[in-house]
Structure formats: C-alpha cells, structure tokens
Amino acid sequence: MTALVWLAVAIILVGAEMFIGDLVLLMLGGGALAAAATDAIFDPPLWVDGVVFAVVSILLLATVRPVAKRHMQTRPVLLTNTEALEGRHALVTERVDEHDGRVKIGGDVWSARTMSPGDVIEPGTEVTVVQIDGATAVVWKG
C-alpha cells in the first residue's frame, strides 16, 4: 500500500514540474519513484523508503539536473524565414542599383537594392545578402 502512496507522490511531483520548469520537482519525483519501486519489491520499513527517496533525490539533483539545465539553456540557434537569408550569396538577374533590381537567392527571385548609394551591380554578378528590408534584399558586391 505504501508503494502506491509513493507512486502517487511521484505523479503529483512530475505533474507539478510542468508548471514550474526548474527540474527540481522532476528530480524529487524520480526519488519518489525509486522509493515506490523499493517498497514494492522489498517491502522494507517506512524509514528505508524515506532514505531511498532522500538519497536518490539528492543524487538526481546533484548529477542529472545540472546537465539537463545546461542542455536546456544551450540549444542550437536555427535561423528561419528572412533571417536565414542574411549572409547568403545571390546571383544578380537584373541590374541592381540603390533603388531597384532583382537577385536570385536559393532559387527564388527577390527585389533588391545595393547597400551603398551609387553602386551599380550588373547581371551575372554574385553578391552577398546583407539584410532583408521588407520584401527587398539589400545586397553588397564584396
């Protein structure tokens, strides 16, 4: 019967972790699950369950939680939409000046203008996309 109480405590702790997100309650839930398993398999006195809960919880908090927190905080940055186009190379398809022009970026044709006023880039030239301004690619010949 005590194993079911420990199991219920583990479920409550893991469920509460969804609202907190700090991984502390998840580690305590792991300790409660270990205590439930110990109680179901060996049927020891209640104090042994408490010791198992404490030891496993402390070990999880000291070893697993720091690694999991570090993994959660250092996720790779995935650029999407127009952010992914900045820095890419493009091919000029129509003459580009400070007001108008066309470039091909990864198979798509974009309106374009030069980064520096007065620059003129002829068709067939490879350029670098510096930024996307609305629906216009700002390009640089360098």
Side-chain angles (χ1 to χ4, degrees):
M1 182 67 174
T2 312
L4 292 177
V5 172
W6 281 112
L7 185 60
V9 168
I11 291 170
I12 290 169
L13 287 168
V14 170
E17 178 62 41
M18 291 189 303
F19 300 106
I20 305 295
D22 198 34
L23 300 179
V24 172
L25 297 179
L26 186 64
M27 301 301 126
L28 295 177
L33 195 59
T38 301
D39 190 64
I41 294 171
F42 300 112
D43 196 26
L46 187 58
W47 68 270
V48 173
D49 293 342
V51 169
V52 168
F53 169 75
V55 168
V56 171
S57 294
I58 289 170
L59 285 174
L60 288 173
L61 285 168
T63 59
V64 175
R65 183 175 175 265
V67 173
K69 290 280 285 187
R70 189 169 41 253
H71 177 70
M72 287 172 51
Q73 292 171 351
T74 58
R75 304 192 89 169
V77 176
L78 179 64
L79 299 176
T80 59
N81 301 328
T82 59
E83 294 173 344
L85 298 176
E86 294 176 6
R88 290 189 60 187
H89 294 286
L91 182 66
V92 176
T93 58
E94 291 180 21
R95 184 175 181 249
V96 177
D97 58 25
E98 61 188 285
H99 301 292
D100 193 28
R102 298 276 183 270
V103 295
K104 191 172 198 175
I105 308 170
D108 295 324
V109 177
W110 283 71
S111 61
R113 65 178 169 83
T114 58
M115 184 174 75
S116 303
D119 284 353
V120 176
I121 306 170
E122 297 299 325
T125 307
E126 188 171 290
V127 294
T128 302
V129 178
V130 178
Q131 79 179 73
I132 302 295
D133 183 19
T136 304
V138 180
V139 296
W140 178 57
K141 188 178 177 179

